[in-house]
Amino acid sequence: MEVTRGNFREVLLKLERILPAAEFLAIDGEFTGLHTGQDVNAFDTPSQYYSKLRSGSMDFLLVQFGLCAFSYDKENDKYTHQAYNFYIFPKSPQIRSAPDPRFLCQSSSIEFLASEGFDFNKVFKEGISYLTQPEEQKLREHLEEKHKSCNNTISSSPGNEDSFQPIPIPDEYVSTIEDSCAHIKTFLASSEPEELVLGCCNAFVRKLIFQTVGQRFDSSVVQLESRLTDKRNRVMVVTRAGSVEERKKKQQEKKDKELQDLEDAVGFTSVLRKISESGKLVVGHNMLLDVCHVINQCYFPLPEDYSEFKEMVRCVFPNLLDTKYMSDLPLFKDKISSNALGHLFKTLSEEPFKMCIAKSEEDGHGYSSLDDKYHEAAYDAYITGLCFITMANHLGSLQKPEVNPVLPSSPLINPYMNKLFLLRVQDSPYINLIGEDPVVRRDHVFFVSFPKEWKTYDLTQLFSPFGSVFVAWLSDTSAYVALHHRNQASLVRKTLTQSDTYTVMTYAAHQQIQDGITNC
Amino acid sequence: MEVTRGNFREVLLKLERILPAAEFLAIDGEFTGLHTGQDVNAFDTPSQYYSKLRSGSMDFLLVQFGLCAFSYDKENDKYTHQAYNFYIFPKSPQIRSAPDPRFLCQSSSIEFLASEGFDFNKVFKEGISYLTQPEEQKLREHLEEKHKSCNNTISSSPGNEDSFQPIPIPDEYVSTIEDSCAHIKTFLASSEPEELVLGCCNAFVRKLIFQTVGQRFDSSVVQLESRLTDKRNRVMVVTRAGSVEERKKKQQEKKDKELQDLEDAVGFTSVLRKISESGKLVVGHNMLLDVCHVINQCYFPLPEDYSEFKEMVRCVFPNLLDTKYMSDLPLFKDKISSNALGHLFKTLSEEPFKMCIAKSEEDGHGYSSLDDKYHEAAYDAYITGLCFITMANHLGSLQKPEVNPVLPSSPLINPYMNKLFLLRVQDSPYINLIGEDPVVRRDHVFFVSFPKEWKTYDLTQLFSPFGSVFVAWLSDTSAYVALHHRNQASLVRKTLTQSDTYTVMTYAAHQQIQDGITNC
Ligand SMILES: Nc1nc2c(ncn2[C@@H]2O[C@H](COP(=O)(O)OP(=O)(O)O)[C@@H](O)[C@H]2O)c(=O)[nH]1
Ligand SMILES: Nc1nc2c(ncn2[C@@H]2O[C@H](COP(=O)(O)OP(=O)(O)O)[C@@H](O)[C@H]2O)c(=O)[nH]1
């Protein structure tokens, strides 16, 4: 089901019932881009990898969030699902002090999403707003302060400008100002229409009108405000002030409206909170970027400190499972030749696996596995959920005696939980959210720096005495070079050192230098 | 008429006839945002203003370019027009070394355009590509080099990998590799189908297959390539290599395709070139940002040096006229209370002006002035053109004897040409493209720095002995303060100096300090 500004409140209410009743949740996100340039490297450590994501990927926007809630019916041993596609977009400020965010797009990502049928018009027009906690708090305080000070201004001047030093009216504007005042006088003398709109004039003239009306009319008689028309032209609107009661009522309505605007601005952030509070297992496929974006947009700006980041993830998502990580482990890896989501689903639909079926719980709220709507966030979440159930049950089928079903609470799932897969890291380590990160042996990896003219060929040539190598570029003058024959490493250390054109050092030495740089 | 990738070639041909026959051209652009944060100030000099645009606005994208060609029929004294709305978007690289641009969006701008009915899906899916001259040149050289070296590889190995140091095949992949080779053997033995697609496998397995096929099969028999599917999964495709003739023909087709891809990538840049070559007067309303974007995206990255920038504009647009600048000059200013485009058009439709009529030359290629499609680039260009004709003819009506019509070539137009309006600059100077910029007296302006807690109120209080002031914020600890009573300036210079909490200096002194900073 598509969720936009129009039906958001309704869906949010519904989630209050659905989330606690779910067996587990699957999520997926779509972004306006992936990275700004300095890409991750095959031999980054988890913490370096995180730093690069934080500085290179968070300026892009999460524009669609897919949530798929899976329920399990014990009696009939059947899963069902409900899928929601949230369209998300930072609202431009209704509230004057709210931020007007800038965000980044990557051409290839945008073009790809558009070609897959992603509806950007819908996101931009009807996207649900969101705020981080600090943003929300700031706006709330600002509003409270404003409402407090407002209580004393019922009887201030109409334009509530600080009119202690009037601006002299230049000759060329005198007739415009006088015309406006005459109009207002006529308007106040009659009882209709409700309001008088003073036409097109520039900001300075508006200021002069405010000032003059403030001097000549009483605020208990006339109210003046500037308003944006549909076409984004600014006009001035005159209304009759009415009695003190009427003005108080109007002011209360305005306050209520502002509070409602604030709730709307919080928007999707409430969904994240509800997911978090539910404590349910949250499943994603290659979910690091999704987790980073959703936290960064709806919770707290990502911290610089890596261990703080881990703590933050644990706090927002106390139970996570990454199906990309799971499918990359021994019991699955040798049966799965590619774990891109589409490939994984296809492989898990064949022997020796048994693809789970999870019907849609309600018409229009879900998918069938034949839909083939890859890259629609909720569909990807749905497929991810099916993959998770199938892999979980496969684990059960390997037990003696067989275990069926294997639910998220099963101890068989434990080893796969709270680890985030690191895409494109060569020896596939992962982020361990509940302990130390894995330490991988990289004795066979060397850091090399060289002239800009070098190509992969030059590096393979340099290392050719030691067999074939894998090159992971760092910049156009440096790279990590990994030996395929690990046992050649000590030979490299002994024979290859420096020259005028290039330098070679061990991976460990280079890491130490880098740590030195980041620590000072 | 809407112009997208689909009908672009056709329209480009048409423009070759239309542009030389036009009396003048009007243009307008739509962008994904306006500025990144450090906004222009009411007392910036033209060159400071330019610097801020260059560093703060060029990361946004021009996504729609409106071009309206006006023709004049002397015999019947009638204008006609033809309007084109170009959808523009940087193509993600088909050519491997082409850039994958990142660009910025500003929420409020995006939301506004979307709410006005701007079709982002169309831009992202069917937008016409563009390249700067350096980008085009780089791609052209790259392609030529590639095609040259290609001529010698007809008989190289199938995967044209450098196979001097084979990677040892890990045990877990042996069966996959052997399976693939067996498939290829069977495929080669038969004559159908045309190609064999080897399914989902990861990058490393693909590399191993390339290597093994290179070792075991002859390139005159089998061709292997990796290809992206519609769903962006990478697969490997095997084809029969065919005779030397056939392979040569295939290679030629591939080259032709690559050259055509390059032409498509140049895309909209050709429109700018044709406009430039036409030498026609180009009219825009508040056109500085349009001019900057179109040059930056389709000609050359904007230079840091301000005079170089002026020269570049002169080179691309030898004859420019900004209707915002024109309407701000004495003969018009006192008759026009706001020169926002919509307001201007409305004012020029009434006495003493006589709004020009310019029918659409061809069905579906133009507008009527009743359309009210503001913020559609070609419509805004059309309205701008009408405003220009009307103001020009008004100039003629003020002559004794009256002149009618006043065409772009009339000497009456000369004083308005090649000046670019600077929006929100207080004493409205402009960029003079054909000479020195105007020097404005700013003796009544003071630079003040103060604690973060200060508000406008504190500044007006500080200056209250000298009458009312206008405050132009620079940052949250500094601002320019302008006196309404200019004759108080010397009194301020004498009496207001420093204190522990704030500093005051003349505008001239502050400019000198700034120049010092930028020059060192
Ligand atoms: N000098 C040199 N630098 C290269 C070469 N290939 C890649 N690089 C550098 O390495 C960076 C990353 O390249 P690569 O790993 O191919 O890109 P990926 O698509 O992100 O994996 C590039 O931006 C270049 O700076 C090369 O052949 N020579
Ligand atoms: N200390 C202080 N700084 C302000 C105040 N108003 C504006 N500023 C600063 O001036 C910048 C520009 O503000 P303003 O001119 O109102 O924004 P505009 O909408 O771009 O014209 C802001 O980003 C603040 O840094 C104020 O009342 N106090």
Side-chain angles (χ1 to χ4, degrees):
Chain A
M1 159 174 229
E2 309 225 301
V3 193
T4 59
R5 238 178 269 170
N7 63 348
F8 176 66
R9 295 266 133 216
E10 186 187 317
V11 169
L12 193 63
L13 271 176
K14 216 169 157 184
L15 287 183
E16 277 171 24
R17 187 173 51 71
I18 290 169
L19 295 186
E23 192 63 36
F24 72 95
L25 310 173
I27 64 166
D28 184 56
E30 298 296 340
F31 320 112
T32 62
L34 295 175
H35 64 90
T36 43
Q38 207 216 5
D39 202 4
V40 294
N41 183 278
F43 295 108
D44 278 337
T45 64
S47 113
Q48 286 167 340
Y49 196 103
Y50 167 71
S51 291
K52 284 186 186 173
L53 279 199
R54 179 176 169 273
S55 63
S57 302
M58 290 303 109
D59 292 337
F60 299 102
L61 215 62
L62 171 77
V63 281
Q64 195 177 58
F65 183 86
L67 172 66
C68 190
F70 285 87
S71 302
Y72 181 67
D73 170 3
K74 262 201 196 106
E75 246 161 75
N76 301 302
D77 180 26
K78 281 217 162 84
Y79 274 100
T80 52
H81 81 279
Q82 285 185 269
Y84 298 91
N85 243 330
F86 294 90
Y87 286 76
I88 305 180
F89 193 67
K91 209 175 165 51
S92 68
Q94 291 291 324
I95 308 160
R96 230 182 171 273
S97 54
D100 182 11
R102 314 316 198 255
F103 60 91
L104 217 54
C105 296
Q106 184 169 352
S107 279
S108 55
S109 304
I110 295 288
E111 197 182 303
F112 173 62
L113 281 178
S115 73
E116 289 286 304
F118 186 88
D119 192 342
F120 283 99
N121 293 337
K122 192 175 267 181
V123 162
F124 297 160
K125 266 196 283 202
E126 304 173 49
I128 305 155
S129 169
Y130 56 83
L131 291 176
T132 60
Q133 288 199 353
E135 283 167 344
E136 181 188 350
Q137 195 179 340
K138 204 177 138 200
L139 287 180
R140 218 172 268 287
E141 281 165 9
H142 181 86
L143 210 56
E144 275 165 17
E145 206 168 293
K146 186 178 154 194
H147 287 177
K148 231 186 278 167
S149 74
C150 235
N151 291 339
N152 318 317
T153 60
I154 288 283
S155 51
S156 76
S157 74
N160 61 22
E161 289 279 287
D162 23 23
S163 45
F164 38 85
Q165 278 292 352
I167 304 164
I169 297 175
D171 291 346
E172 68 242 59
Y173 294 126
V174 168
S175 75
T176 308
I177 307 297
E178 289 304 326
D179 278 3
S180 299
C181 288
H183 271 122
I184 294 175
K185 217 166 189 169
T186 322
F187 167 75
L188 289 176
S190 60
S191 62
E192 283 198 318
E194 282 254 330
E195 54 183 39
L196 169 68
V197 178
L198 299 176
C200 357
C201 53
N202 66 38
F204 185 54
V205 175
R206 282 199 303 273
K207 194 166 183 132
L208 294 175
I209 294 179
F210 263 119
Q211 170 181 301
T212 314
V213 172
Q215 292 162 340
R216 300 201 193 161
F217 296 87
D218 194 84
S219 72
S220 62
V221 173
V222 63
Q223 285 282 330
L224 200 56
E225 61 178 327
S226 108
R227 192 188 288 165
L228 267 189
T229 65
D230 293 347
K231 296 283 164 193
R232 284 239 163 160
N233 291 320
R234 229 174 229 294
V235 294
M236 298 186 77
V237 181
V238 188
T239 49
R240 297 174 194 84
S243 69
V244 173
E245 252 78 82
E246 278 171 320
R247 272 180 285 151
K248 277 206 171 134
K249 189 168 156 248
K250 255 194 194 168
Q251 205 173 56
Q252 188 57 48
E253 281 168 6
K254 205 175 152 197
K255 276 187 198 173
D256 293 345
K257 168 82 170 51
E258 284 172 339
L259 280 170
Q260 185 55 51
D261 282 351
L262 180 58
E263 287 313 316
D264 287 344
V266 172
F268 179 74
T269 295
S270 305
V271 174
L272 180 65
R273 285 187 197 147
K274 286 195 196 312
I275 292 175
S276 203
E277 286 159 11
S278 79
K280 300 289 171 178
L281 176 69
V282 174
V283 175
H285 187 76
N286 194 20
M287 70 197 302
L288 174 60
L289 211 50
D290 307 79
V291 164
C292 285
H293 269 292
V294 82
I295 289 181
N296 192 56
Q297 289 184 203
C298 304
Y299 183 68
F300 220 88
L302 289 189
E304 203 178 316
D305 185 78
Y306 176 60
S307 60
E308 234 176 84
F309 163 69
K310 284 197 193 183
E311 204 172 300
M312 208 177 258
V313 178
R314 274 201 308 271
C315 171
V316 179
F317 296 109
N319 296 296
L320 273 187
L321 188 142
D322 188 337
T323 48
K324 185 115 179 166
Y325 170 75
M326 187 174 185
S327 63
D328 201 50
L329 288 193
L331 282 180
F332 298 103
K333 196 187 171 91
D334 52 342
K335 298 170 192 140
I336 295 168
S337 66
S338 158
N339 62 2
L341 185 60
H343 293 168
L344 178 63
F345 180 72
K346 217 178 136 214
T347 308
L348 293 176
S349 301
E350 293 164 6
E351 288 291 331
F353 302 104
K354 207 165 156 293
M355 180 47 69
C356 141
I357 292 168
K359 288 212 173 123
S360 163
E361 204 161 303
E362 217 179 306
D363 272 357
H365 284 60
Y367 297 98
S368 132
S369 57
L370 303 170
D371 279 350
D372 192 13
K373 294 193 177 167
Y374 283 106
H375 307 291
E376 184 170 303
Y379 180 76
D380 282 359
Y382 161 71
I383 292 292
T384 301
L386 294 184
C387 289
F388 165 66
I389 300 170
T390 305
M391 287 194 288
N393 286 336
H394 183 70
L395 286 179
S397 75
L398 299 177
Q399 299 296 307
K400 289 187 180 134
E402 281 192 29
V403 180
N404 193 320
V406 176
L407 297 177
S409 54
S410 160
L412 290 175
I413 300 299
N414 259 343
Y416 302 98
M417 274 179 47
N418 299 313
K419 315 265 170 39
L420 292 169
F421 186 74
L422 296 177
L423 188 68
R424 294 175 55 198
V425 170
Q426 182 71 0
D427 34 18
S428 21
Y430 50 87
I431 292 179
N432 184 4
L433 294 168
I434 45 166
E436 289 297 309
D437 285 330
V439 179
V440 210
R441 281 197 57 169
R442 286 175 177 168
D443 297 346
H444 64 303
V445 182
F446 295 88
F447 171 84
V448 192
S449 67
F450 42 79
K452 216 163 53 204
E453 292 68 38
W454 277 36
K455 306 260 175 245
T456 303
Y457 178 80
D458 301 281
L459 288 165
T460 50
Q461 275 302 92
L462 180 66
F463 282 81
S464 57
F466 316 100
S468 63
V469 293
F470 168 82
V471 176
W473 289 91
L474 285 161
S475 71
D476 51 9
T477 58
S478 64
Y480 285 130
V481 176
L483 307 176
H484 275 289
H485 301 282
R486 291 181 175 237
N487 56 11
Q488 298 286 304
S490 64
L491 203 58
V492 173
R493 278 197 295 275
K494 270 179 227 147
T495 53
L496 252 187
T497 46
Q498 261 55 266
S499 96
D500 283 350
T501 40
Y502 64 85
T503 60
V504 181
M505 67 174 90
T506 63
Y507 178 83
H510 182 246
Q511 285 292 326
Q512 234 166 14
I513 292 172
Q514 287 218 299
D515 281 353
I517 292 166
T518 28
N519 288 341
C520 69
Chain B
M1 158 174 230
E2 310 227 300
V3 193
T4 58
R5 238 177 269 171
N7 63 349
F8 176 66
R9 295 265 133 216
E10 187 188 317
V11 170
L12 193 63
L13 271 176
K14 217 169 156 185
L15 287 183
E16 277 171 24
R17 188 173 51 71
I18 290 168
L19 296 185
E23 192 63 36
F24 73 92
L25 311 173
I27 64 166
D28 184 55
E30 298 296 341
F31 321 111
T32 62
L34 295 174
H35 64 89
T36 42
Q38 207 216 6
D39 202 5
V40 294
N41 182 277
F43 295 107
D44 279 337
T45 64
S47 112
Q48 286 166 340
Y49 196 104
Y50 167 70
S51 291
K52 284 188 187 172
L53 280 199
R54 180 176 169 272
S55 63
S57 302
M58 290 302 109
D59 292 337
F60 299 102
L61 215 61
L62 171 77
V63 281
Q64 195 177 58
F65 183 86
L67 172 66
C68 190
F70 286 86
S71 301
Y72 180 67
D73 171 3
K74 263 201 195 105
E75 248 161 73
N76 301 302
D77 180 26
K78 280 217 162 85
Y79 273 101
T80 51
H81 81 278
Q82 286 185 270
Y84 298 91
N85 243 331
F86 294 91
Y87 287 75
I88 305 181
F89 193 68
K91 210 176 164 48
S92 69
Q94 291 291 322
I95 309 160
R96 231 183 170 272
S97 54
D100 182 11
R102 316 313 198 255
F103 61 91
L104 217 53
C105 295
Q106 185 169 350
S107 280
S108 56
S109 304
I110 295 288
E111 196 181 302
F112 173 62
L113 281 178
S115 74
E116 288 286 304
F118 186 88
D119 192 342
F120 282 99
N121 293 337
K122 192 175 267 181
V123 163
F124 297 159
K125 265 195 283 202
E126 303 173 49
I128 306 154
S129 169
Y130 56 83
L131 291 176
T132 61
Q133 289 199 352
E135 284 167 345
E136 182 188 350
Q137 195 179 338
K138 203 176 137 200
L139 286 181
R140 217 172 270 287
E141 281 166 9
H142 181 87
L143 211 56
E144 275 164 18
E145 206 167 295
K146 186 178 157 194
H147 287 176
K148 232 187 279 168
S149 74
C150 235
N151 291 338
N152 319 317
T153 58
I154 289 283
S155 51
S156 76
S157 74
N160 61 22
E161 288 279 289
D162 23 25
S163 44
F164 37 85
Q165 277 291 354
I167 303 164
I169 297 175
D171 290 345
E172 69 244 58
Y173 293 125
V174 168
S175 76
T176 307
I177 307 296
E178 289 304 327
D179 277 3
S180 298
C181 287
H183 272 121
I184 294 175
K185 216 166 190 166
T186 322
F187 167 76
L188 290 176
S190 61
S191 62
E192 284 198 318
E194 281 255 329
E195 55 183 39
L196 169 69
V197 178
L198 299 177
C200 358
C201 52
N202 66 37
F204 185 55
V205 175
R206 283 199 301 274
K207 195 169 183 131
L208 294 175
I209 294 179
F210 263 118
Q211 171 182 300
T212 314
V213 171
Q215 292 162 340
R216 299 199 194 162
F217 295 87
D218 193 84
S219 71
S220 62
V221 174
V222 63
Q223 285 280 331
L224 201 56
E225 60 179 328
S226 109
R227 192 189 288 167
L228 267 187
T229 64
D230 293 346
K231 296 283 163 196
R232 283 239 165 160
N233 291 321
R234 227 171 232 296
V235 293
M236 298 186 78
V237 180
V238 188
T239 49
R240 297 174 195 85
S243 68
V244 172
E245 251 79 84
E246 278 172 320
R247 273 182 282 151
K248 275 202 173 140
K249 189 168 155 249
K250 256 195 194 164
Q251 204 173 58
Q252 189 56 47
E253 281 168 7
K254 203 174 155 199
K255 275 186 198 174
D256 293 346
K257 169 80 170 51
E258 284 172 339
L259 280 169
Q260 185 54 51
D261 282 350
L262 180 58
E263 286 314 315
D264 287 344
V266 172
F268 179 75
T269 295
S270 304
V271 175
L272 180 65
R273 284 186 197 148
K274 285 193 197 311
I275 292 175
S276 203
E277 286 159 11
S278 80
K280 300 289 170 177
L281 176 69
V282 174
V283 175
H285 188 76
N286 195 18
M287 71 197 300
L288 174 60
L289 211 49
D290 307 80
V291 165
C292 285
H293 269 292
V294 81
I295 289 181
N296 192 56
Q297 289 183 203
C298 304
Y299 182 68
F300 219 89
L302 288 188
E304 202 177 318
D305 184 77
Y306 176 61
S307 60
E308 233 176 85
F309 163 70
K310 284 198 193 182
E311 205 171 298
M312 207 177 258
V313 178
R314 275 201 308 273
C315 170
V316 179
F317 296 109
N319 296 296
L320 272 188
L321 187 143
D322 187 335
T323 48
K324 186 115 179 166
Y325 171 76
M326 187 174 186
S327 64
D328 201 50
L329 288 194
L331 283 180
F332 298 102
K333 195 185 170 92
D334 53 342
K335 298 169 191 142
I336 295 168
S337 66
S338 158
N339 63 3
L341 185 60
H343 293 167
L344 178 64
F345 180 73
K346 217 178 136 214
T347 308
L348 292 176
S349 302
E350 294 164 5
E351 288 290 332
F353 302 103
K354 208 169 155 289
M355 180 47 69
C356 142
I357 292 169
K359 288 214 173 122
S360 163
E361 203 162 303
E362 216 178 307
D363 274 357
H365 284 60
Y367 297 98
S368 133
S369 56
L370 303 171
D371 279 351
D372 192 12
K373 295 193 177 166
Y374 283 107
H375 307 292
E376 183 170 304
Y379 181 76
D380 282 359
Y382 161 70
I383 292 292
T384 301
L386 294 183
C387 289
F388 165 67
I389 300 171
T390 305
M391 287 195 287
N393 287 336
H394 183 70
L395 286 179
S397 76
L398 300 176
Q399 298 296 304
K400 286 182 183 136
E402 282 192 26
V403 180
N404 192 321
V406 175
L407 297 177
S409 52
S410 160
L412 291 176
I413 299 300
N414 259 343
Y416 302 99
M417 274 179 48
N418 300 313
K419 314 264 173 33
L420 291 169
F421 186 74
L422 295 177
L423 189 69
R424 295 176 53 201
V425 170
Q426 181 71 0
D427 34 18
S428 19
Y430 50 87
I431 293 179
N432 184 5
L433 294 168
I434 45 167
E436 288 298 308
D437 285 330
V439 179
V440 211
R441 281 197 56 170
R442 287 176 177 167
D443 297 346
H444 65 301
V445 182
F446 294 88
F447 172 84
V448 192
S449 66
F450 42 79
K452 214 160 59 198
E453 293 67 37
W454 278 35
K455 307 259 174 245
T456 303
Y457 178 81
D458 301 280
L459 287 165
T460 50
Q461 276 301 93
L462 180 66
F463 282 82
S464 58
F466 315 101
S468 63
V469 292
F470 169 82
V471 176
W473 289 92
L474 284 162
S475 70
D476 51 8
T477 58
S478 64
Y480 285 130
V481 177
L483 307 175
H484 275 289
H485 300 282
R486 290 182 176 237
N487 56 12
Q488 298 287 305
S490 64
L491 202 59
V492 174
R493 278 196 295 275
K494 270 177 227 147
T495 54
L496 253 186
T497 45
Q498 262 53 267
S499 96
D500 282 351
T501 40
Y502 64 84
T503 58
V504 180
M505 67 175 88
T506 63
Y507 178 83
H510 183 245
Q511 286 291 326
Q512 237 167 12
I513 291 172
Q514 288 217 298
D515 282 353
I517 292 166
T518 28
N519 288 341
C520 68

